[in-house]
Amino acid sequence: MANMSPKKVPIPEQEPQVRNRNFQEVALGYTAEQAIEEATRCLQCKTRPCVAGCPVNVPIPEFIQEVAAGNFDEAYRIITRENRLPAVCGRVCPQETQCEEVCVRGKKGEAVAIGRLERFVADTWMAGHQPETPEIVKKGIKVAVVGSGPAGITCAGELAQLGYDVTIFEALHAPGGVLMYGIPEFRLPKALVQREIDSIRKLGVEIVCNVIVGRSITIDELFEEEGFAAVFVGSGAGLPSFLRIEGENLNGVYSANEFLTRSNLMKAYEFPKSPTPVRVGKRVAVVGGGNVAMDAARTAKRLGAEEVYIVYRRGEDELPARAEEVHHAREEGIIFKLLNNPVKVHGENGWVTGLECMEMTLGEPDASGRRRPIAKEGSNFVIGLDTVVVAIGQSPNPLIRQTTPGLETERWGGIIVNEETMKTSKDGVYAGGDVVTGAATVILAMGAGKTAARAIHEALEKR
Ligand code: FAD
Ligand code: SF4
Ligand code: SF4
């Protein structure tokens, strides 16, 4: 008999006023008893709508049934048949718009906490096991993967499992993409990311860091000189957009990308142990309303800022960030200045002193479907600040398209692919993740990596 409680079993969390001064994880995870209790809320629906809601089709009812029975190792085996990064996805997937959105229990109460259960299963497995080295029959065919974010890692794992010799080339000094350099430690501990990447290495995938494809070696050279039979490009969307307003070049103005990379990947918060300080001062404004903006604001608070503002030109209903992230940011004392648009960064002696904004109202919906912000004449005001972080979007770095003849891209830089196969306009080259869609989600990037791996395998089988 299912547990008919309309609410999810709550997940223990650090207190907001404690956690906003440390970088340890906010959510502490279920105990075994809590996980079993939550798992018994699943109705084991025959139609399995939740599975269709997951971009990589995790067999959700099957793994939850094993959790309910206390068979946590079996639950892990079931999840990892389809998802190679369950500890990551259980934490950062926007479940409320994917698997949990279509959960039948969500019609009269809260959906089953699928993400929390996935996280519990992955964490429990990792606490008791080392990554396994499976027996794989090698094909002797080389495939190159550009970028070690979720798209590249997933594509590499799938192909290695099928027997290909896969090498990932990564521009940075550590693999993981945004999982390492973008999403903060307090949402996604880096040791966990590296553990899940280790399990991909155990499949035989070689990860070569500090190689910038397009500069150290081109895609054509990978085919012609290195003997790769196919290339998957999962190079993400790491080029930040700027406001293009006066004063943006002042010291103390960061792109969210630089701010978060210094803090997360280079552990600026351990300064002076780490040589990559970020200057936050007492008052910080983060411009933007997405997940990246929430991460930057919450990081600034943890780095010691007393007042941290989110400055966003639309209203509450238009905030693109996950509701959970907005809620956590508010709990931690982030101040939301909605319907305000920055028009100038003020400074003195080369350093930021303030951000001039105009108040906005909302007009009719624009091409994006969101209501268009309209400035109120004469409403200008200045917020006194030490630091401004710009988090208004990213696009793909142009290096690969500039150095790969025959690779067609959109005007904004995204690589054009056939969505069924992720094949590009260039023979033997496939692409997926943010470099195709623009900034999106971890699980969509993983889904694209999986689709591409299937298509690469089919194409190489036919050779
Ligand atoms: P990436 O993760 O960007 O990885 C691309 C990799 O390619 C990088 O390691 C990069 O260094 C490397 N690379 C780039 N160019 C080259 C080159 N020329 N040669 C070699 N290597 C190269 N999504 C969620 O689902 N949930 C969240 O909570 C969430 N929060 C986010 C928070 C932040 C701060 C950011 C920035 C993004 C967030 N996202 C979130 C989005 C998500 O992280 C991305 O959609 C996802 O990581 C895209 O995966 P990817 O593999 O396409 O690219
Ligand atoms: Fe849900 Fe993400 Fe897990 Fe899929 S991978 S079941 S979308 S939490
Ligand atoms: Fe369980 Fe919800 Fe999936 Fe039904 S839809 S099987 S209740 S998780």
PDB file of all heavy atoms in Angstrom, residues 53-56 58 60 83 89-90 93 95 98-100 114-115 118 443, ligand 2:
ATOM      1  N   GLY A  53       9.383  11.991 -19.048  1.00  0.00           N
ATOM      2  CA  GLY A  53       9.769  13.358 -18.675  1.00  0.00           C
ATOM      3  C   GLY A  53      11.252  13.520 -18.437  1.00  0.00           C
ATOM      4  O   GLY A  53      11.742  14.644 -18.276  1.00  0.00           O
ATOM      5  N   CYS A  54      11.984  12.414 -18.407  1.00  0.00           N
ATOM      6  CA  CYS A  54      13.437  12.481 -18.171  1.00  0.00           C
ATOM      7  C   CYS A  54      14.165  12.411 -19.507  1.00  0.00           C
ATOM      8  O   CYS A  54      13.997  11.441 -20.248  1.00  0.00           O
ATOM      9  CB  CYS A  54      13.871  11.306 -17.292  1.00  0.00           C
ATOM     10  SG  CYS A  54      15.665  11.117 -17.252  1.00  0.00           S
ATOM     11  N   PRO A  55      14.992  13.416 -19.841  1.00  0.00           N
ATOM     12  CA  PRO A  55      15.652  13.409 -21.149  1.00  0.00           C
ATOM     13  C   PRO A  55      16.569  12.224 -21.404  1.00  0.00           C
ATOM     14  O   PRO A  55      16.893  11.945 -22.551  1.00  0.00           O
ATOM     15  CB  PRO A  55      16.446  14.726 -21.164  1.00  0.00           C
ATOM     16  CG  PRO A  55      15.725  15.614 -20.198  1.00  0.00           C
ATOM     17  CD  PRO A  55      15.206  14.692 -19.131  1.00  0.00           C
ATOM     18  N   VAL A  56      17.005  11.485 -20.355  1.00  0.00           N
ATOM     19  CA  VAL A  56      17.807  10.290 -20.624  1.00  0.00           C
ATOM     20  C   VAL A  56      17.058   9.003 -20.243  1.00  0.00           C
ATOM     21  O   VAL A  56      17.633   7.919 -20.218  1.00  0.00           O
ATOM     22  CB  VAL A  56      19.198  10.338 -19.932  1.00  0.00           C
ATOM     23  CG1 VAL A  56      20.042  11.481 -20.469  1.00  0.00           C
ATOM     24  CG2 VAL A  56      19.084  10.412 -18.420  1.00  0.00           C
ATOM     25  N   VAL A  58      15.697   7.636 -17.457  1.00  0.00           N
ATOM     26  CA  VAL A  58      16.023   6.814 -16.274  1.00  0.00           C
ATOM     27  C   VAL A  58      14.798   5.950 -15.941  1.00  0.00           C
ATOM     28  O   VAL A  58      13.671   6.466 -15.918  1.00  0.00           O
ATOM     29  CB  VAL A  58      16.383   7.729 -15.075  1.00  0.00           C
ATOM     30  CG1 VAL A  58      16.423   6.948 -13.770  1.00  0.00           C
ATOM     31  CG2 VAL A  58      17.726   8.422 -15.312  1.00  0.00           C
ATOM     32  N   ILE A  60      12.583   5.151 -13.763  1.00  0.00           N
ATOM     33  CA  ILE A  60      12.289   5.729 -12.443  1.00  0.00           C
ATOM     34  C   ILE A  60      11.499   4.770 -11.534  1.00  0.00           C
ATOM     35  O   ILE A  60      11.935   4.490 -10.413  1.00  0.00           O
ATOM     36  CB  ILE A  60      11.593   7.103 -12.617  1.00  0.00           C
ATOM     37  CG1 ILE A  60      12.594   8.075 -13.268  1.00  0.00           C
ATOM     38  CG2 ILE A  60      11.095   7.656 -11.280  1.00  0.00           C
ATOM     39  CD1 ILE A  60      11.984   9.349 -13.815  1.00  0.00           C
ATOM     40  N   ASN A  83      21.914   6.699 -16.925  1.00  0.00           N
ATOM     41  CA  ASN A  83      22.444   7.998 -16.486  1.00  0.00           C
ATOM     42  C   ASN A  83      23.784   7.803 -15.794  1.00  0.00           C
ATOM     43  O   ASN A  83      23.851   7.206 -14.726  1.00  0.00           O
ATOM     44  CB  ASN A  83      21.437   8.644 -15.519  1.00  0.00           C
ATOM     45  CG  ASN A  83      21.929   9.983 -14.999  1.00  0.00           C
ATOM     46  OD1 ASN A  83      23.031  10.438 -15.343  1.00  0.00           O
ATOM     47  ND2 ASN A  83      21.132  10.621 -14.175  1.00  0.00           N
ATOM     48  N   CYS A  89      22.977  14.779 -11.339  1.00  0.00           N
ATOM     49  CA  CYS A  89      21.599  15.056 -11.776  1.00  0.00           C
ATOM     50  C   CYS A  89      20.640  15.119 -10.591  1.00  0.00           C
ATOM     51  O   CYS A  89      19.732  15.947 -10.559  1.00  0.00           O
ATOM     52  CB  CYS A  89      21.123  13.991 -12.759  1.00  0.00           C
ATOM     53  SG  CYS A  89      22.016  14.072 -14.302  1.00  0.00           S
ATOM     54  N   GLY A  90      20.833  14.246  -9.609  1.00  0.00           N
ATOM     55  CA  GLY A  90      19.962  14.268  -8.432  1.00  0.00           C
ATOM     56  C   GLY A  90      20.016  15.619  -7.734  1.00  0.00           C
ATOM     57  O   GLY A  90      19.066  16.019  -7.067  1.00  0.00           O
ATOM     58  N   CYS A  93      19.437  18.770 -11.610  1.00  0.00           N
ATOM     59  CA  CYS A  93      18.399  18.717 -12.650  1.00  0.00           C
ATOM     60  C   CYS A  93      17.228  19.604 -12.245  1.00  0.00           C
ATOM     61  O   CYS A  93      16.819  19.570 -11.076  1.00  0.00           O
ATOM     62  CB  CYS A  93      17.839  17.299 -12.779  1.00  0.00           C
ATOM     63  SG  CYS A  93      18.511  16.381 -14.127  1.00  0.00           S
ATOM     64  N   GLN A  95      14.189  19.229 -11.853  1.00  0.00           N
ATOM     65  CA  GLN A  95      13.207  18.116 -11.857  1.00  0.00           C
ATOM     66  C   GLN A  95      11.781  18.628 -11.999  1.00  0.00           C
ATOM     67  O   GLN A  95      10.928  17.973 -12.595  1.00  0.00           O
ATOM     68  CB  GLN A  95      13.316  17.322 -10.549  1.00  0.00           C
ATOM     69  CG  GLN A  95      14.607  16.569 -10.392  1.00  0.00           C
ATOM     70  CD  GLN A  95      15.525  17.224  -9.376  1.00  0.00           C
ATOM     71  OE1 GLN A  95      15.127  18.133  -8.664  1.00  0.00           O
ATOM     72  NE2 GLN A  95      16.764  16.769  -9.307  1.00  0.00           N
ATOM     73  N   GLN A  98      10.814  18.552 -15.419  1.00  0.00           N
ATOM     74  CA  GLN A  98      11.121  17.330 -16.174  1.00  0.00           C
ATOM     75  C   GLN A  98      10.399  16.146 -15.534  1.00  0.00           C
ATOM     76  O   GLN A  98       9.186  16.108 -15.526  1.00  0.00           O
ATOM     77  CB  GLN A  98      12.639  17.147 -16.248  1.00  0.00           C
ATOM     78  CG  GLN A  98      13.230  18.255 -17.120  1.00  0.00           C
ATOM     79  CD  GLN A  98      14.732  18.254 -17.190  1.00  0.00           C
ATOM     80  OE1 GLN A  98      15.409  17.813 -16.291  1.00  0.00           O
ATOM     81  NE2 GLN A  98      15.255  18.788 -18.267  1.00  0.00           N
ATOM     82  N   CYS A  99      11.143  15.210 -14.958  1.00  0.00           N
ATOM     83  CA  CYS A  99      10.518  13.983 -14.460  1.00  0.00           C
ATOM     84  C   CYS A  99       9.411  14.264 -13.435  1.00  0.00           C
ATOM     85  O   CYS A  99       8.351  13.646 -13.471  1.00  0.00           O
ATOM     86  CB  CYS A  99      11.575  13.066 -13.858  1.00  0.00           C
ATOM     87  SG  CYS A  99      12.602  13.860 -12.602  1.00  0.00           S
ATOM     88  N   GLU A 100       9.646  15.207 -12.532  1.00  0.00           N
ATOM     89  CA  GLU A 100       8.666  15.431 -11.448  1.00  0.00           C
ATOM     90  C   GLU A 100       7.448  16.212 -11.940  1.00  0.00           C
ATOM     91  O   GLU A 100       6.372  16.120 -11.352  1.00  0.00           O
ATOM     92  CB  GLU A 100       9.339  16.139 -10.264  1.00  0.00           C
ATOM     93  CG  GLU A 100      10.372  15.250  -9.589  1.00  0.00           C
ATOM     94  CD  GLU A 100      10.988  15.852  -8.341  1.00  0.00           C
ATOM     95  OE1 GLU A 100      10.444  16.835  -7.795  1.00  0.00           O
ATOM     96  OE2 GLU A 100      12.037  15.340  -7.907  1.00  0.00           O
ATOM     97  N   ILE A 114      11.854  12.518  -6.966  1.00  0.00           N
ATOM     98  CA  ILE A 114      12.685  11.622  -7.782  1.00  0.00           C
ATOM     99  C   ILE A 114      14.168  12.042  -7.709  1.00  0.00           C
ATOM    100  O   ILE A 114      15.057  11.215  -7.536  1.00  0.00           O
ATOM    101  CB  ILE A 114      12.188  11.630  -9.253  1.00  0.00           C
ATOM    102  CG1 ILE A 114      10.728  11.170  -9.308  1.00  0.00           C
ATOM    103  CG2 ILE A 114      13.073  10.746 -10.133  1.00  0.00           C
ATOM    104  CD1 ILE A 114      10.037  11.414 -10.649  1.00  0.00           C
ATOM    105  N   GLY A 115      14.409  13.354  -7.828  1.00  0.00           N
ATOM    106  CA  GLY A 115      15.796  13.852  -7.791  1.00  0.00           C
ATOM    107  C   GLY A 115      16.469  13.539  -6.462  1.00  0.00           C
ATOM    108  O   GLY A 115      17.612  13.067  -6.429  1.00  0.00           O
ATOM    109  N   GLU A 118      17.334   9.929  -6.341  1.00  0.00           N
ATOM    110  CA  GLU A 118      18.460   9.601  -7.220  1.00  0.00           C
ATOM    111  C   GLU A 118      19.774  10.002  -6.535  1.00  0.00           C
ATOM    112  O   GLU A 118      20.764   9.264  -6.558  1.00  0.00           O
ATOM    113  CB  GLU A 118      18.279  10.360  -8.540  1.00  0.00           C
ATOM    114  CG  GLU A 118      19.215   9.917  -9.621  1.00  0.00           C
ATOM    115  CD  GLU A 118      18.807  10.470 -10.973  1.00  0.00           C
ATOM    116  OE1 GLU A 118      17.620  10.413 -11.329  1.00  0.00           O
ATOM    117  OE2 GLU A 118      19.689  10.976 -11.671  1.00  0.00           O
ATOM    118  N   ILE A 443      21.061  17.982 -17.986  1.00  0.00           N
ATOM    119  CA  ILE A 443      20.458  16.742 -18.466  1.00  0.00           C
ATOM    120  C   ILE A 443      20.165  16.823 -19.978  1.00  0.00           C
ATOM    121  O   ILE A 443      20.257  15.819 -20.675  1.00  0.00           O
ATOM    122  CB  ILE A 443      19.207  16.363 -17.640  1.00  0.00           C
ATOM    123  CG1 ILE A 443      18.801  14.916 -17.884  1.00  0.00           C
ATOM    124  CG2 ILE A 443      18.050  17.304 -17.853  1.00  0.00           C
ATOM    125  CD1 ILE A 443      19.746  13.908 -17.356  1.00  0.00           C
TER     126      ILE A 443
HETATM  127 FE1  SF4 B   2      14.792  13.381 -13.201  1.00  0.00          FE
HETATM  128 FE2  SF4 B   2      17.163  14.350 -13.962  1.00  0.00          FE
HETATM  129 FE3  SF4 B   2      17.043  11.987 -12.763  1.00  0.00          FE
HETATM  130 FE4  SF4 B   2      16.096  12.285 -15.246  1.00  0.00          FE
HETATM  131  S1  SF4 B   2      18.218  12.465 -14.587  1.00  0.00           S
HETATM  132  S2  SF4 B   2      15.122  11.191 -13.543  1.00  0.00           S
HETATM  133  S3  SF4 B   2      15.261  14.378 -15.177  1.00  0.00           S
HETATM  134  S4  SF4 B   2      16.499  13.950 -11.845  1.00  0.00           S
END
